[in-house]
Amino acid sequence: MNTRTDLALSTLQGQRVSIVEMGARDGLQNETTQLSANVKAGLVDRLAASGLQRIETGSFVSPKWIPQMADSDQVFAAITRLPGVRYSALTPNMQGFERAMQAGVDEVAVFAAASEMFSQKNINCSIQESIRRFTEVCAAAKSAGIPVRGYVSCAMGCPYQGDVSAEDVAMAVRELMALGCYEVSIGDTIGTGTPHHVQSVLSRCLQETGPAQLAMHFHDTYGQALANLTAGLQLGLRTIDASVAGLGGCPYAQGASGNVATEDVLFMLQGLGMETGIDLPRLIDTSHWICTQLNRRNQSRVSLAGLPVARGI
Ligand SMILES: CC(C)(COP(=O)([O-])OP(=O)([O-])OC[C@H]1O[C@@H](n2cnc3c(N)ncnc32)[C@H](O)[C@@H]1OP(=O)([O-])[O-])[C@@H](O)C(=O)NCCC(=O)NCCSC(=O)C[C@@](C)(O)CC(=O)[O-]
């Protein structure tokens, strides 16, 4: 076979992919089992020890809205920082940013939506008002020398509004880049995207910025995430958000499952010959460990199956 897709996949070999680990934030924010700050820090330390260098460690949002993240300052205090690892957190407003600064975060993230209704449900304000708040956060972060990442939720569909246009996603990307975000992560919050849809939304976003400034943040509710990631890799994107054991979901997107499991992403990338610098067997151990702590079923197909010995991966 010599189709254009085959050629595109073969050119991925040897290229580097940056993984942004979501388990300790997106993963734990929706869990009913409350873990202690020490156990959360233990998760972060294990993730770092497996080679992950970008770890979303907590969230400085309102504890009334997300009680699971109320102790993020204690988690930051309890982690053992490894050199070269960036420990980041969500900050929806200046109050969150100031808490994050006190906790000593390396990087903050602001989170916008491409859907007006989701913005209201998730952060209790319009998209425009959220951009106004993020303007303050980005200005303060710039003065403090702290990098800011942006998110656009509901890029492939909204649990309240339904369809979301690529134009609205691109507009949010444009606004976040204009605020100084160094990277914008495109969120398929409810996991309804399919490869062709994902390619058309990402292609529209690529008219706003380059592939090095875009990340893919795909939830795996409908089992499409790996196919969708491949579609994004073919467009030149090289940054992937993923969650160990496929933990998580968004509390304001009922029924949405966790991010695509980091182990499953690594297995696929290894198969494509791509580099991540992450120790997959060690990550699988962490995946089983956190599921034991949470007393929940592992959502990673790779961790459940175990690595195929014969292939020597
Ligand atoms: C944005 C707000 C705060 C507005 O919430 P609000 O109620 O409109 O805020 P407010 O400014 O009116 O303040 C109300 C109270 O909250 C407090 N407050 C206000 N801000 C903070 C703060 N930063 N830290 C601590 N406390 C805070 C504030 O002090 C006050 O306390 P009170 O006087 O009532 O005691 C709220 O809606 C909120 O926290 N939302 C967060 C929701 C959230 O975390 N969702 C999940 C993350 S997004 C996500 O998962 C999607 C993503 C990123 O993963 C990508 C994807 O998959 O699509």
Side-chain angles (χ1 to χ4, degrees):
M1 282 214 303
N2 195 18
T3 64
R4 286 179 58 194
T5 304
D6 286 339
L7 289 173
L9 287 176
S10 68
T11 62
L12 299 177
Q13 197 153 10
Q15 295 200 30
R16 182 114 191 147
V17 174
S18 175
I19 304 286
V20 186
E21 174 56 44
M22 292 286 137
R25 195 281 299 170
D26 206 343
L28 297 184
Q29 75 181 10
N30 205 32
E31 287 296 328
T32 43
T33 307
Q34 275 280 12
L35 299 179
S36 71
N38 277 338
V39 172
K40 292 178 185 174
L43 170 62
V44 172
D45 288 346
R46 283 173 167 81
L47 294 168
S50 70
L52 283 151
Q53 294 198 309
R54 300 177 65 182
I55 303 179
E56 211 164 74
T57 301
S59 183
F60 294 96
V61 296
S62 163
K64 288 182 191 147
W65 285 63
I66 311 282
Q68 292 92 333
M69 293 287 114
D71 59 358
S72 284
D73 50 347
Q74 293 167 46
V75 177
F76 271 92
I79 56 176
T80 304
R81 291 174 190 252
L82 287 189
V85 178
R86 268 149 66 193
Y87 301 90
S88 63
L90 295 191
T91 53
N93 52 21
M94 280 307 292
Q95 197 173 335
F97 179 74
E98 278 151 20
R99 291 175 59 210
M101 286 302 92
Q102 276 171 15
V105 306
D106 298 317
E107 173 178 323
V108 297
V110 293
F111 45 109
S115 146
E116 199 59 60
M117 282 178 82
F118 186 81
S119 182
Q120 291 288 353
K121 298 272 187 193
N122 194 41
I123 50 175
N124 205 24
C125 67
S126 66
I127 297 170
Q128 270 319 307
E129 169 58 17
S130 75
I131 296 295
R132 194 197 61 71
R133 293 178 191 175
F134 302 155
T135 305
E136 288 176 2
V137 171
C138 289
K142 191 174 180 192
S143 307
I146 297 287
V148 185
R149 182 174 217 235
Y151 284 99
V152 180
S153 286
C154 298
M156 312 298 159
C158 169
Y160 308 105
Q161 171 185 309
D163 290 347
V164 170
S165 74
E167 210 49 46
D168 287 346
V169 183
M171 185 167 54
V173 170
R174 186 161 62 240
E175 300 213 52
L176 291 169
M177 296 302 298
L179 293 187
C181 292
Y182 74 90
E183 175 178 280
V184 177
S185 182
I186 307 298
D188 184 4
T189 313
I190 53 174
T192 49
T194 49
H196 187 244
H197 182 198
V198 166
Q199 282 200 335
S200 66
V201 172
L202 293 179
S203 298
R204 178 62 191 84
C205 295
L206 285 167
Q207 291 170 17
E208 304 295 333
T209 189
Q213 281 74 48
L214 292 177
M216 297 181 275
H217 179 107
F218 297 160
H219 288 259
D220 204 22
T221 321
Y222 292 90
Q224 302 299 300
L226 290 177
N228 292 341
L229 289 174
T230 309
L233 290 170
Q234 288 179 300
L235 290 178
L237 277 70
R238 296 289 179 267
T239 305
I240 295 175
D241 298 357
S243 178
V244 65
L247 296 179
C250 179
Y252 297 98
Q254 276 296 319
S257 74
N259 282 116
V260 62
T262 315
E263 309 90 288
D264 298 2
V265 174
L266 293 184
F267 187 86
M268 181 182 82
L269 294 177
Q270 286 184 357
L272 286 168
M274 302 190 87
E275 315 282 341
T276 63
I278 300 162
D279 182 337
L280 179 53
R282 204 160 174 179
L283 190 64
I284 291 173
D285 288 346
T286 298
S287 178
H288 291 309
W289 176 82
I290 190 62
C291 288
T292 305
Q293 303 297 317
L294 290 165
N295 193 22
R296 61 112 80 196
R297 186 180 153 79
N298 200 317
Q299 299 299 310
S300 159
R301 303 291 290 265
V302 168
S303 283
L304 286 174
L307 289 177
V309 178
R311 286 180 58 186
I313 295 174

